[in-house]
Amino acid sequence: MNKPESVSYYPLGDAAVVAVFSEAISEQVNHRIRLVGAGLDKLENPAILEYVPAFTTITVYYNPLSIDFAGVVEQIQRIVTALPEEIHFSSANKVIPIWYDGPDLDEVMDYTGLSKEEVVRLHSDNEYIVYMIGFAPGFAYLGGMDSRLSTPRKPTPRLKIEPGSVGIAGAQTGIYPIETPGGWQIIGKTPVRLFDSTKEIPSFLAAGDRLRFDPISKAEYLRMKGADYGD
Amino acid sequence: MGINVIKPGMLTTVQDLGRFGFQKYGMITSGAMDKLALRLGNLLLGNEEDTPALECTSIGPSLLFLEQQLICVTGADLSPAIDQQPIPMWKPVVVPAGALLTFGKPKKGWRAYLCFYGGLNVPKVLGSASTYLRGAIGGWQGRALQKGDQLSFCKAWPQESSSFKWRMASSCYRGLDNKIIRVIAGPQHALFDSDSQQRLTAGLFTISSNSDRMGYRLESAKLYLREKKELLSSATTFGTIQVPPDGQPIVLMADHPTTGGYPIIAQVATVDLPLMAQLPPGAKIQFALITMKEAQSLWRAQENELHKLKLSLALKYGE
């Protein structure tokens, strides 16, 4: 295992610090970032307001009236220094049922030369890791898709993608939590609600989670969706 | 009781100071575009600074007051009037029951804040009453006000009638005539070519009509990186100036996505976000580079002014 790269820090305006852990995405970097987040949670320092983990960075928002840039960097660096060199992390395992019946399934089959069964098998046989949440509430950037499924985005984005739609964009796959325009190739949909603002933790997925897709039938989809399927 | 929406205006939403603590789940913060105007409006009524109020964009609403209430209008001058009589801004005004509050011609600025004594009675979602329009989350039913909506107040203004002989000292809110926006160099500032770095502070930028609560698109001479580079998505914040490959910068505003992948050339200083929020489409601005430390000391000076105002208001309301 390579020794972790050192962390560099730069300001994002007058109230945020960006800590950069690496130039490249990796599971190890993702774990380190996740542990730094957990360390920040434990600080309970009212001057450190919140943080956003991303692929290779964690951005920490602070109140400059109570702490300065150097003070925040010192707090983060103290957590970084205490990290073990090699990290073994237990991640939450989540399962997302999908009814593979998306409007772009044919386009994905055409582009990849795979049958429907192969697309479903390759998409649901893999374990994925949630690298970060961003773009929209509860939207997870997933790593780990089989490269044989790679399909370019649609040339013209759809104006409306319904919540729960599962899509492919290039080498990425992901799920749309709220209704939004988007250019991903939609291959299926999940009855799981990925973002619920009435919950204390509103997002079903969090950075660092591992997840699998579980193929389900139309009947199962409708049953799981409950009373909501009347559309 | 409360208010009845006769005309909704162009875009009238319930906002407070924003929804924080959930950005790691991708939750957009929302909140007032001009937070200073909202804070001042609330302070002038003796409210907590983050009390939910109405953000009225360009063409304000017409509201029928079903009961007496104390209000304060701050931010943009959108010609507020009660029963066709112009009312002053930046001070508390009593609206009698049955009166119609209207807005007219936008005279200066783009967003007025209509604050109510005790605030509007809307449920909090994830700790905030702010409206996030695209997610249909928070505020009044997750959307902008519509004709026929009826919103209630948290508190009634108990006094028969009152006149307020004082108004706010103007030093607390910078005039909206200023067209210089102070910025701090962004994380990728050095990746831009030197012409582009120069254009950032030498050129004029026009606010495009394709601008909203999520972001302001700017029309200008184009800004380019020294060499093409794909960046990994990372967090953004209110005031982040990102530059997509077309070279036309976008200033992220209150409803910005939590993360983005475009290079960030600069970041608007927090003290100048209110000015930015008040710019109408077509306005021309210039950027001036300052250091992070300068931005923070300007911020501290602003908070000292506000603190003084709070102390003097405590005397007025506390008697």
Side-chain angles (χ1 to χ4, degrees):
Chain A
M1 174 95 22
N2 292 333
K3 216 174 143 60
E5 298 156 70
S6 65
V7 179
S8 55
Y9 300 91
Y10 53 80
L12 178 66
D14 48 20
V17 173
V18 186
V20 185
F21 286 75
S22 173
E23 288 294 311
I25 302 176
S26 77
E27 224 172 287
Q28 188 75 1
V29 167
N30 188 258
H31 284 336
R32 292 184 83 208
I33 289 172
R34 212 179 140 203
L35 282 179
V36 170
L40 289 167
D41 286 336
K42 275 197 217 111
L43 275 185
E44 290 185 6
N45 182 342
I48 292 181
L49 307 173
E50 63 179 313
Y51 60 85
V52 174
F55 287 115
T56 57
T57 62
I58 188 166
T59 300
V60 180
Y61 300 84
Y62 65 97
N63 177 2
L65 303 170
S66 345
I67 192 169
D68 65 0
F69 178 81
V72 181
V73 168
E74 195 194 313
Q75 298 270 358
I76 305 170
Q77 187 56 42
R78 203 174 296 164
I79 298 169
V80 170
T81 308
L83 292 180
E85 214 167 275
E86 216 172 304
I87 293 165
H88 301 282
F89 211 89
S90 63
S91 302
N93 288 302
K94 293 183 180 162
V95 177
I96 294 198
I98 309 185
W99 173 29
Y100 284 97
D101 180 52
D104 302 319
L105 203 50
D106 286 344
E107 212 168 312
V108 172
M109 286 156 57
D110 277 354
Y111 186 83
T112 59
L114 299 165
S115 68
K116 184 185 168 184
E117 289 66 33
E118 286 169 320
V119 170
V120 171
R121 186 177 58 77
L122 290 176
H123 196 258
S124 59
D125 250 9
N126 256 12
E127 186 178 65
Y128 296 85
I129 178 164
V130 177
Y131 278 113
M132 61 180 275
I133 307 280
F135 165 68
F139 187 92
Y141 287 84
L142 302 176
M145 191 176 74
D146 192 299
S147 58
R148 283 170 284 180
L149 290 169
S150 290
T151 310
R153 287 174 172 81
K154 300 187 82 63
T156 310
R158 281 201 165 78
L159 290 175
K160 227 165 122 171
I161 290 184
E162 69 175 290
S165 295
V166 179
I168 289 175
Q172 304 183 74
T173 185
I175 312 160
Y176 284 90
I178 62 171
E179 188 185 292
T180 152
W184 291 32
Q185 305 280 3
I186 306 301
I187 58 167
K189 53 184 167 181
T190 177
V192 173
R193 205 167 163 188
L194 287 161
F195 195 84
D196 183 349
S197 59
T198 64
K199 290 196 172 145
E200 204 178 325
I201 294 177
S203 177
F204 179 73
L205 297 172
D209 285 354
R210 290 175 179 283
L211 75 93
R212 289 186 163 279
F213 293 117
D214 178 27
I216 55 169
S217 66
K218 179 181 183 179
E220 285 172 304
Y221 173 85
L222 294 178
R223 183 177 54 74
M224 290 166 93
K225 200 122 203 261
D228 283 342
Y229 70 83
D231 56 351
Chain B
M1 298 298 262
I3 46 170
N4 200 329
V5 179
I6 306 297
K7 287 183 192 165
M10 190 170 94
L11 179 70
T12 306
T13 58
V14 176
Q15 300 293 344
D16 57 19
L17 292 178
R19 187 170 281 115
F20 290 90
F22 303 96
Q23 289 191 81
K24 64 174 166 230
Y25 301 121
M27 186 64 217
I28 277 78
T29 58
S30 302
M33 290 278 275
D34 180 349
K35 286 186 186 167
L36 183 59
L38 175 72
R39 292 170 70 193
L40 288 167
N42 277 323
L43 286 176
L44 289 166
L45 293 171
N47 291 346
E48 293 293 327
E49 290 177 34
D50 64 348
T51 303
L54 291 178
E55 179 176 276
C56 313
T57 317
S58 176
I59 298 163
S62 297
L63 305 169
L64 180 65
F65 280 67
L66 306 174
E67 62 187 304
Q68 173 185 270
Q69 185 54 289
L70 187 70
I71 64 161
C72 182
V73 184
T74 60
D77 184 352
L78 308 180
S79 309
I82 294 172
D83 291 335
Q84 293 172 13
Q85 292 301 307
I87 57 164
M89 292 176 56
W90 305 104
K91 66 174 287 179
V93 174
V94 177
V95 186
L100 186 67
L101 173 72
T102 56
F103 290 85
K105 194 172 177 284
K107 284 186 185 150
K108 191 172 279 187
W110 197 243
R111 291 178 172 88
Y113 292 83
L114 172 56
C115 301
F116 305 88
Y117 173 73
L120 286 169
N121 183 19
V122 293
K124 287 195 170 180
V125 178
L126 297 173
S128 164
S130 287
T131 315
Y132 168 45
L133 290 167
R134 275 165 215 248
I137 288 168
W140 177 253
Q141 301 180 1
R143 59 165 171 80
L145 297 193
Q146 291 172 1
K147 186 182 160 148
D149 286 343
Q150 194 166 318
L151 285 77
S152 60
F153 304 130
C154 287
K155 281 189 202 166
W157 173 245
Q159 295 174 27
E160 262 305 289
S161 95
S162 336
S163 64
F164 292 83
K165 299 227 157 50
W166 46 270
R167 61 187 295 165
M168 194 186 79
S170 59
S171 59
C172 286
Y173 191 78
R174 268 174 92 211
L176 297 177
D177 292 322
N178 206 317
K179 295 291 183 268
I180 306 274
I181 304 285
R182 289 166 290 189
V183 298
I184 304 148
Q188 284 83 35
H189 183 265
L191 297 183
F192 284 83
D193 64 39
S194 53
D195 281 359
S196 297
Q197 289 182 16
Q198 259 172 6
R199 277 199 292 273
L200 177 69
T201 48
L204 276 178
F205 293 82
T206 306
I207 311 290
S208 141
S209 56
N210 194 3
S211 296
D212 57 16
R213 281 184 45 88
M214 186 170 155
Y216 282 8
R217 283 168 191 277
L218 304 180
E219 288 156 5
S220 64
K222 295 182 175 11
L223 308 175
Y224 293 116
L225 295 176
R226 279 176 213 281
E227 50 189 286
K228 268 197 178 167
K229 194 174 176 192
E230 284 289 316
L231 301 172
L232 291 168
S233 286
S234 183
T236 59
T237 186
F238 194 170
T240 295
I241 307 178
Q242 56 178 26
V243 185
D246 70 3
Q248 299 283 275
I250 299 170
V251 187
L252 297 179
M253 301 299 283
D255 282 352
H256 67 88
T258 52
T259 59
Y262 295 134
I264 298 169
I265 192 168
Q267 169 79 37
V268 177
T270 298
V271 288
D272 281 356
L273 287 173
L275 192 55
M276 197 76 215
Q278 292 294 354
L279 293 168
K284 287 183 171 34
I285 52 164
Q286 232 181 317
F287 292 118
L289 263 185
I290 59 171
T291 65
M292 176 186 70
K293 287 224 156 85
E294 284 169 324
Q296 290 173 338
S297 65
L298 288 165
W299 188 345
R300 216 166 294 123
Q302 172 194 287
E303 295 305 313
N304 286 339
E305 284 290 316
L306 249 76
H307 187 68
K308 276 188 242 162
L309 178 74
K310 268 189 236 179
L311 292 179
S312 67
L313 284 166
L315 290 174
K316 290 186 168 74
Y317 278 99
E319 64 195 9

